[in-house]
Amino acid sequence: MYPAYIHTQTTARNIDHAAIKTYQIPSLILMEHAALKSAEIIEQITNTNQSICILCGPGNNGADGLAIARLLQPKYPNLYVVVPEIKKMSEDEKIQFQMVQNLKIPFCKNLPNVTYDIYIDCLFGNGLSRDITGFYKTMIQNVNTSQSTIISIDMPSGIDSTMGNVLGCAIHADYTISLDCYKQGQWLNEGKNHCGKLYLVDIGIPQILHQKCMDKIKILNEEDIHLPNRPLNAHKSTFGKALMIGGSQNMHGAIHMASLSAYKSGIGTLTLMVPECISNVLAIKSDFYMLLQCADRNGIFSSKAIDLLKQNINNYSIISIGNGMQKNNITIALVEQALKSDKKIVLDADALWAAQKNIELLKRSETTILTPHIKEMSDLTGIHVSTILSNPFEVARDFSKEYPSCVLILKSSQTYIAHQGSVYVLDAQNAGLAKGGSGDILCGIVVAMLGQCKDSLQAALCATYIHSQSAKLDIDSASFMPEDIINNIPNTLKRLRS
Ligand SMILES: NC(=O)C1=CN([C@@H]2O[C@H](COP(=O)(O)OP(=O)(O)OC[C@H]3O[C@@H](n4cnc5c(N)ncnc54)[C@H](O)[C@@H]3O)[C@@H](O)[C@H]2O)[C@@H](O)CC1
Ligand SMILES: Nc1ncnc2c1ncn2[C@@H]1O[C@H](COP(=O)(O)OP(=O)(O)O)[C@@H](O)[C@H]1O
Ligand SMILES: [K+]
């Protein structure tokens, strides 16, 4: 699979330049790759009897358009090119334009009055630098109001490729073919809604240029996942001794689901520390876990929980806190104690709110994996939900740099896994997961992976991937039950290992 990175405008441009300057790949060769791959996709999504109008701007995005025109022309008899600013053309575009003229491909400066079936938008790509006004704006508005199919090359023209904001006006594409890498603006703000179906094509830029980038954002794929080995001669301690702390009178299900997923995902031994008021119901539900019961008060842990944890913490290698707990002082104290220990810690749900009270403790040297959804991320960091939503990449990355021993799993319909400045994006939207309990399942898998993986980032990557793959169920998304996902974990593990 072609490794998919997401870059800002500047990084994407620097990578193009480095390919040309450092690796001496001529710009026209990259452009030819871009045009060939784009033409291939255009042929897949259109019919050759459809009419095509290619809009070419003043830069290399326009040059791509002219190269695409040259490649499509033999197959599409009704093909037309619009070049509004012939005098302003970039050097490469002048060369492409000469070839288009040699081939006698029809062109003109203005958008023709007739409507075309397909518009290929090559007005502006990664070089858009200011608001679109004047005749470009009119052209974009006219194309948007047509009922035709619009295919954008590299970016929907008018979308800022870093932040995804509309600059003046923007093409509403049905398809966008991104060249070499995804642009961050395709994933953020209005950009998300302007791309339509997004394709990514390899244009021959050396991969090393992506790998060497600081602050990488990469789409998580199966090649990034290295499931931990399970040696035949292993002992149960080989796979981690976990203590999962959680539960309250009205929420025994969360920790039960988390524990089931931890066990199905391969944890060595599992103990649940729960308030006494729910221990009976848990004992009836399952018998694979041990219980560390704590006196309760009003349905939640009593203050005895703090001493109980102190006395027992050294029996475990991994502690998770949060499933089915509540926001209160005991939760704060338990999180504080766990973070002061030398154990691997997983914080979920209200434990994330509690962590905020002693946030400097996240600068500990041992691994901490945090699994907030967007609102919990806001509780954890004090950053407003809307700010997180407008650039989750940046928020996740900044957090991971500030707390370098932590791995952040920022959950939403897309999940961002961040560690020491690198961000992975799990792009697997699934309405079946938009249900209470999905997060608890993930927490359990994280605990199990932490018990088995040597590397904390790998543990987080494996867990999020296993979670999402196990939720690929052949049933209606409305009917997902937590057990369906949990019972599918063994199939996922088997497939990933084979
Ligand atoms: N060798 C390369 O660098 C490659 C570049 N490629 C293509 O080149 C594109 C980037 O090319 P450029 O850097 O030339 O940038 P663009 O073609 O995206 O646009 C830059 C041009 O548009 C003008 N411009 C910017 N904003 C404007 C506005 N609001 N109104 C009017 N004019 C505006 C600029 O003055 C400049 O002339 C990529 O998106 C991609 O399509 C691909 O061919 C692959 C290889
Ligand atoms: N539409 C969706 N597409 C993909 N994943 C989703 C979607 N909705 C929720 N999820 C995933 O389900 C989990 C929900 O976690 P969370 O919000 O903590 O739920 P809860 O605490 O109720 O179990 C996260 O892993 C999230 O990424
Ligand atoms: K474009």
Side-chain angles (χ1 to χ4, degrees), residues 191-240:
K192 272 195 293 203
N193 306 323
H194 279 255
C195 288
K197 184 172 165 139
L198 197 51
Y199 290 86
L200 176 67
V201 295
D202 177 1
I203 63 166
I205 287 183
Q207 275 301 311
I208 181 92
L209 287 170
H210 295 288
Q211 289 154 4
K212 275 197 333 202
C213 278
M214 300 285 288
D215 294 349
K216 283 192 285 287
I217 306 175
K218 186 177 184 300
I219 304 287
L220 182 63
N221 71 34
E222 207 146 312
E223 275 126 54
D224 299 311
I225 302 300
H226 307 291
L227 274 196
N229 286 332
R230 297 205 32 112
L232 290 176
N233 62 351
H235 179 264
K236 61 189 174 195
S237 304
T238 316
F239 302 129

Side-chain angles (χ1 to χ4, degrees), residues 88-149:
K88 281 198 182 166
M89 284 182 171
S90 68
E91 287 313 304
D92 284 347
E93 192 174 20
K94 282 183 194 149
I95 298 170
Q96 299 290 358
F97 188 47
Q98 191 55 55
M99 291 189 256
V100 160
Q101 287 173 285
N102 296 345
L103 288 167
K104 306 220 170 346
I105 298 174
F107 68 90
C108 85
K109 276 183 74 171
N110 301 312
L111 197 63
N113 282 332
V114 292
T115 304
Y116 283 76
D117 298 322
I118 317 284
Y119 288 94
I120 315 278
D121 154 38
C122 301
L123 290 175
F124 304 104
N126 196 42
L128 183 74
S129 54
R130 55 189 185 275
D131 276 10
I132 296 180
T133 54
F135 57 87
Y136 283 120
K137 187 169 185 173
T138 314
M139 202 177 276
I140 289 174
Q141 285 165 341
N142 286 340
V143 170
N144 277 345
T145 48
S146 73
Q147 299 298 307
S148 311
T149 300

Side-chain angles (χ1 to χ4, degrees), residues 6 182 184 186-189 192 198 219-220 372-374 388-389 392-393 396 409-417 423-430 433 464 468:
I6 302 177
Y182 290 120
Q184 194 176 279
Q186 294 159 347
W187 297 75
L188 298 179
N189 304 312
K192 272 195 293 203
L198 197 51
I219 304 287
L220 182 63
H373 56 56
I374 303 283
I388 301 174
L389 288 173
F393 300 119
I409 303 180
L410 176 57
K411 304 178 297 191
S412 65
S413 59
Q414 266 150 9
T415 291
Y416 311 89
I417 304 106
V423 180
Y424 287 82
V425 183
L426 176 76
D427 179 31
Q429 302 197 12
N430 180 346
L433 279 171
T464 36
S468 129

Side-chain angles (χ1 to χ4, degrees), residues 221-266:
N221 71 34
E222 207 146 312
E223 275 126 54
D224 299 311
I225 302 300
H226 307 291
L227 274 196
N229 286 332
R230 297 205 32 112
L232 290 176
N233 62 351
H235 179 264
K236 61 189 174 195
S237 304
T238 316
F239 302 129
K241 295 175 79 175
L243 177 70
M244 301 186 79
I245 306 173
S248 52
Q249 178 70 64
N250 298 323
M251 278 193 282
H252 63 264
I255 193 152
H256 176 69
M257 288 184 280
S259 67
L260 270 174
S261 2
Y263 222 70
K264 285 256 185 194
S265 310

Side-chain angles (χ1 to χ4, degrees), residues 395-407:
V395 171
R397 179 195 294 129
D398 288 353
F399 182 90
S400 76
K401 283 183 168 174
E402 181 145 11
Y403 304 102
S405 64
C406 292
V407 184

Side-chain angles (χ1 to χ4, degrees), residues 362-380:
L362 292 178
K363 295 192 171 154
R364 63 205 291 268
S365 54
E366 207 15 288
T367 296
T368 314
I369 300 190
L370 304 101
T371 59
H373 56 56
I374 303 283
K375 173 65 175 64
E376 289 161 349
M377 186 67 185
S378 175
D379 289 344
L380 176 68

